[in-house]
Amino acid sequence: MQAFTIDTSTSIRVKGLTIQNSQQMHFTISRCDSVRINGVKVSAPGDSPNTDGIHISESTNVIIQDSKIGTGSELGVLPQLKVPFC
């Protein structure tokens, strides 16, 4: 279960979003190009199992700036090195 998903999109901007205590993945970006994330806050308690902060897959030109990500599992899941993580 994802709290917020961007799928098969181009030229997307997300600013000032707060996601708290999602059951699994907080924020998913999949099959996208040119996504800019700014000022996003993702959080879950430290003992929460399987709560990925931001999961990025099959995407290019994703930039994450000035954001706070703290979850019980992975902070961010970046399966492809083509995705810049700033």
Side-chain angles (χ1 to χ4, degrees), residues 15-35:
K15 184 175 181 178
L17 177 69
T18 298
I19 303 172
Q20 196 170 8
N21 300 330
S22 177
Q23 290 181 10
Q24 289 182 352
M25 293 182 205
H26 284 73
F27 192 163
T28 302
I29 299 168
S30 180
R31 296 180 294 260
C32 294
D33 180 54
S34 299
V35 179

Side-chain angles (χ1 to χ4, degrees), residues 19 26-27 37 39-44 51-56 64-78 85-86:
I19 303 172
H26 284 73
F27 192 163
I37 309 299
V40 169
K41 296 177 186 175
V42 177
S43 65
T51 51
D52 294 348
I54 298 178
H55 185 89
I56 301 171
I64 301 171
Q65 298 176 307
D66 301 321
S67 298
K68 295 182 180 182
I69 305 166
T71 63
S73 184
E74 296 88 4
L75 295 181
V77 178
L78 302 174
F85 189 66
C86 304

